[in-house]
């Protein structure tokens, strides 16, 4: 179970990063064009991978020896274990909340260019948060 979810989480990370980059580049390139159902679908792919990755990460947090079971004062003092216990989960949660807000705003915003801006800004900041807490020493 642990190994399977760990591989899923590791693999979904590629798909999520790719989907976020495609969403942002597409929104940036389309800013002056109408916002269509297709534009929304591209952003939806990023949202779905973000939500899936969150569920996989949450499961991993309770299955992995690096997650909740490693919680202690000593682990907090050590950079790598603190990354897995606190920084990685919290920043990733924040990133996914931002991505979800960016997607939800599409329904409410009036003008097409502001819909694209919502994706560029919220997905963009979300992507930066994600990149800041990926454990680069062990991934890819
Ligand atoms: C703990 C797990 C999850 C939480 C807390 C969560 C939370 C949310 C929230 C708050 C929204 C609202 C966005 C809006 O305002 O429209 C949303 C939308 C959505 N979620 Fe999740 N989600 C979770 C898991 C998943 C999973 C596993 C998937 C799919 C594989 C998924 C797919 C979607 C989709 C497709 C939408 C957008 C619906 C639309 O088109 O408006 N979510 N989710
Ligand atoms: C945007 C969301 C996320 C991304 C892109 C992401 C990415 C990654 C990557 C690339 C790894 C390294 C996997 C490997 O060693 O091959 C990892 C490990 C881990 N992630 Fe995430 N993660 C995300 C969200 C989360 C969340 C929300 C949690 C917990 C609530 C979480 C918990 C963990 C844990 C516990 C590990 C260590 C697994 C182990 O080696 O035993 N992740 N994550």
């Amino acid at each position: 179970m642990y190994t399977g979810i760990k591989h899923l989480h590791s693999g979904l990370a590629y798909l999520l990063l790719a989907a976020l980059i495609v969403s942002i580049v597409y929104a940036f390139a389309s800013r002056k064009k109408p916002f269509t159902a297709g534009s929304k679908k591209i952003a939806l792919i990023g949202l779905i991978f973000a939500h899936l990755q969150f569920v996989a990460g949450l499961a991993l947090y309770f299955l992995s020896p690096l997650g909740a079971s490693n919680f202690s004062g000593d682990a907090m003092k050590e950079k790598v274990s603190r990354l897995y216990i606190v920084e990685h989960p919290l920043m990733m949660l924040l990133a996914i909340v931002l991505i979800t807000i960016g997607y939800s705003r599409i329904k409410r915003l009036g003008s097409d260019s502001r819909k694209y801006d919502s994706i560029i800004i919220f997905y963009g900041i979300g992507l930066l948060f994600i990149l800041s807490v990926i454990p680069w020493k062990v991934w890819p």
Side-chain angles (χ1 to χ4, degrees), residues 121-136:
I121 293 165
F122 285 85
Y123 280 40
I125 298 172
L127 177 62
L128 291 180
F129 281 13
I130 290 170
L131 293 176
S132 76
V133 289
I134 282 181
W136 293 108

Side-chain angles (χ1 to χ4, degrees), residues 18 27 35 53 101 128:
F35 193 94
Q53 181 69 323
I101 292 173
L128 291 180

Side-chain angles (χ1 to χ4, degrees), residues 37-58:
S39 315
K40 198 172 171 188
K41 256 186 207 124
I42 291 177
L44 179 63
I45 296 170
L47 179 84
I48 290 175
F49 282 131
H51 285 195
L52 276 176
Q53 181 69 323
F54 175 72
V55 175
L58 194 64

Side-chain angles (χ1 to χ4, degrees), residues 55-106:
V55 175
L58 194 64
L60 204 50
Y61 196 68
F62 295 99
L63 292 170
S64 166
L66 300 172
S69 66
N70 194 30
F71 202 106
S72 74
D74 280 340
M76 285 299 158
K77 290 191 194 108
E78 214 268 305
K79 252 173 79 178
V80 174
S81 48
R82 191 178 60 232
L83 174 76
Y84 287 111
I85 298 170
V86 189
E87 292 155 0
H88 179 88
L90 284 184
M91 285 297 275
M92 292 303 196
L93 175 62
L94 208 59
I96 292 164
V97 167
L98 284 173
I99 290 164
T100 306
I101 292 173
Y103 179 82
S104 309
R105 275 165 46 99
I106 293 173

